[in-house]
Coordinates of all heavy atoms in Angstrom, one line a residue:
N1 N 0.9 -1.2 0.0 CA 0.0 0.0 0.0 C 0.9 1.2 0.0 O 0.9 2.0 1.0 CB -0.9 0.0 1.2 CG -1.8 -1.2 1.3 OD1 -2.9 -1.3 0.7 ND2 -1.3 -2.2 2.1
C2 N 1.7 1.4 -1.0 CA 2.7 2.4 -1.1 C 2.1 3.7 -1.7 O 1.9 3.9 -2.8 CB 3.9 2.0 -1.9 SG 5.3 3.0 -1.8
G3 N 2.0 4.7 -0.8 CA 1.4 6.0 -1.2 C -0.1 6.0 -1.1 O -0.7 7.1 -1.3
G4 N -0.7 4.9 -0.8 CA -2.2 4.8 -0.7 C -2.6 3.3 -0.7 O -1.8 2.4 -1.0
C5 N -3.8 3.1 -0.3 CA -4.3 1.7 -0.2 C -4.3 1.0 -1.5 O -4.6 1.6 -2.6 CB -5.7 1.6 0.4 SG -5.8 2.2 2.2
N6 N -3.9 -0.3 -1.5 CA -3.9 -1.1 -2.7 C -3.0 -0.6 -3.9 O -3.4 -0.7 -5.0 CB -5.4 -1.3 -3.2 CG -6.2 -1.9 -2.1 OD1 -5.9 -2.9 -1.5 ND2 -7.4 -1.3 -1.9
K7 N -1.9 0.0 -3.5 CA -0.9 0.4 -4.5 C 0.4 -0.3 -4.2 O 1.3 0.2 -3.6 CB -0.7 1.9 -4.4 CG -1.8 2.8 -4.8 CD -1.5 4.3 -4.8 CE -2.6 5.1 -5.2 NZ -2.3 6.6 -5.2
P8 N 0.4 -1.6 -4.7 CA 1.6 -2.4 -4.4 C 2.8 -2.0 -5.3 O 2.7 -1.6 -6.4 CB 1.1 -3.8 -4.8 CG 0.1 -3.6 -5.8 CD -0.6 -2.3 -5.5
C9 N 4.0 -2.2 -4.7 CA 5.2 -2.0 -5.5 C 5.6 -3.2 -6.3 O 5.2 -4.4 -5.9 CB 6.4 -1.7 -4.5 SG 6.3 -0.1 -3.6
P10 N 6.2 -3.1 -7.4 CA 6.7 -4.3 -8.2 C 7.6 -5.2 -7.3 O 8.2 -4.7 -6.4 CB 7.4 -3.7 -9.3 CG 6.9 -2.3 -9.5 CD 6.6 -1.8 -8.1
Q11 N 7.7 -6.4 -7.7 CA 8.5 -7.4 -6.9 C 10.0 -6.9 -6.9 O 10.5 -6.4 -7.9 CB 8.4 -8.7 -7.6 CG 9.1 -9.8 -6.8 CD 8.9 -11.2 -7.4 OE1 8.3 -11.3 -8.4 NE2 9.4 -12.2 -6.7
G12 N 10.6 -7.0 -5.8 CA 12.0 -6.6 -5.6 C 12.2 -5.2 -5.3 O 13.3 -4.7 -5.0
Q13 N 11.1 -4.4 -5.2 CA 11.2 -3.0 -4.8 C 10.6 -2.8 -3.4 O 9.9 -3.6 -2.9 CB 10.4 -2.1 -5.8 CG 11.1 -2.1 -7.2 CD 10.5 -1.0 -8.0 OE1 9.9 0.0 -7.6 NE2 10.8 -1.0 -9.3
V14 N 11.0 -1.7 -2.8 CA 10.6 -1.3 -1.4 C 9.8 0.0 -1.5 O 9.9 0.7 -2.5 CB 11.8 -1.2 -0.5 CG1 12.5 -2.5 -0.3 CG2 12.8 -0.1 -0.9
C15 N 9.1 0.3 -0.4 CA 8.4 1.6 -0.3 C 9.2 2.5 0.6 O 9.5 2.2 1.7 CB 7.0 1.3 0.2 SG 6.0 2.8 0.3
A16 N 9.5 3.7 0.0 CA 10.3 4.7 0.8 C 9.6 6.0 0.5 O 9.5 6.5 -0.6 CB 11.7 4.7 0.4
N17 N 9.1 6.6 1.6 CA 8.5 8.0 1.5 C 7.3 7.9 0.6 O 7.0 8.9 -0.2 CB 9.5 9.0 1.1 CG 10.6 9.2 2.1 OD1 10.3 9.2 3.3 ND2 11.8 9.4 1.6
G18 N 6.6 6.8 0.6 CA 5.4 6.7 -0.2 C 5.6 6.5 -1.7 O 4.7 6.6 -2.5
A19 N 6.8 6.1 -2.0 CA 7.1 5.8 -3.4 C 7.9 4.5 -3.5 O 8.7 4.2 -2.7 CB 7.9 7.0 -4.0
C20 N 7.6 3.8 -4.6 CA 8.3 2.5 -4.8 C 9.7 2.8 -5.3 O 10.0 3.6 -6.1 CB 7.6 1.6 -5.8 SG 5.9 1.1 -5.2
A21 N 10.7 2.0 -4.8 CA 12.1 2.1 -5.2 C 12.8 0.8 -5.1 O 12.3 -0.1 -4.4 CB 12.8 3.1 -4.3
L22 N 13.9 0.7 -5.9 CA 14.6 -0.5 -5.9 C 15.2 -0.8 -4.5 O 15.5 0.1 -3.7 CB 15.8 -0.4 -6.8 CG 15.5 -0.5 -8.3 CD1 16.7 -0.2 -9.2 CD2 15.0 -1.9 -8.7
Q23 N 15.3 -2.1 -4.1 CA 15.9 -2.5 -2.9 C 17.4 -2.9 -3.2 O 17.6 -3.9 -3.8 CB 15.2 -3.6 -2.2 CG 15.8 -4.1 -0.9 CD 15.0 -5.2 -0.3 OE1 14.2 -5.9 -0.9 NE2 15.2 -5.4 1.0
C24 N 18.3 -2.0 -2.8 CA 19.7 -2.3 -3.1 C 20.3 -3.1 -2.0 O 20.3 -2.8 -0.8 CB 20.5 -0.9 -3.2 SG 19.9 0.1 -4.6
V25 N 21.0 -4.2 -2.4 CA 21.6 -5.1 -1.5 C 23.1 -5.3 -1.9 O 23.6 -4.8 -2.9 CB 20.9 -6.5 -1.6 CG1 19.5 -6.3 -1.1 CG2 20.9 -7.1 -3.0
G26 N 23.8 -6.0 -1.1 CA 25.2 -6.4 -1.4 C 26.1 -5.2 -1.4 O 27.1 -5.1 -2.1
G27 N 25.8 -4.2 -0.6 CA 26.6 -3.0 -0.5 C 26.4 -2.0 -1.6 O 27.2 -1.0 -1.6
T28 N 25.4 -2.2 -2.4 CA 25.1 -1.2 -3.5 C 24.3 -0.1 -3.0 O 23.7 -0.2 -1.9 CB 24.5 -1.9 -4.7 OG1 23.2 -2.5 -4.2 CG2 25.3 -3.0 -5.3
T29 N 24.3 1.0 -3.8 CA 23.6 2.2 -3.4 C 22.6 2.6 -4.5 O 22.9 2.4 -5.7 CB 24.6 3.4 -3.2 OG1 25.5 3.0 -2.1 CG2 23.9 4.7 -2.8
L30 N 21.4 3.1 -4.1 CA 20.4 3.5 -5.1 C 20.9 4.9 -5.7 O 20.9 5.9 -4.9 CB 19.1 3.6 -4.5 CG 17.9 4.0 -5.4 CD1 17.7 3.0 -6.5 CD2 16.6 4.2 -4.6
C31 N 21.2 5.0 -7.0 CA 21.5 6.2 -7.6 C 20.7 6.3 -8.9 O 20.8 5.4 -9.8 CB 23.0 6.2 -8.0 SG 24.1 6.3 -6.6
S32 N 19.8 7.3 -9.0 CA 19.0 7.5 -10.2 C 18.2 6.3 -10.5 O 18.2 5.8 -11.7 CB 19.8 8.0 -11.3 OG 20.5 9.2 -11.0
N33 N 17.5 5.7 -9.5 CA 16.7 4.5 -9.7 C 17.4 3.3 -10.2 O 16.9 2.5 -10.9 CB 15.5 4.8 -10.7 CG 14.3 3.9 -10.5 OD1 14.1 3.5 -9.3 ND2 13.6 3.6 -11.5

């Protein structure tokens, strides 16, 4: 429910500040999506 009810993020993404974003693992950093 990212940003509102029944607004799921795509698989492998997380919700941050009400917006879906990539989940960076392995010491990587999110830069420009």
Side-chain angles (χ1 to χ4, degrees):
N1 301 276
C2 190
C5 294
N6 302 314
K7 292 184 177 180
C9 292
Q11 187 175 5
Q13 294 192 13
V14 296
C15 184
N17 297 318
C20 297
L22 288 171
Q23 182 177 17
C24 296
V25 296
T28 59
T29 301
L30 182 65
C31 294
S32 301
N33 204 35

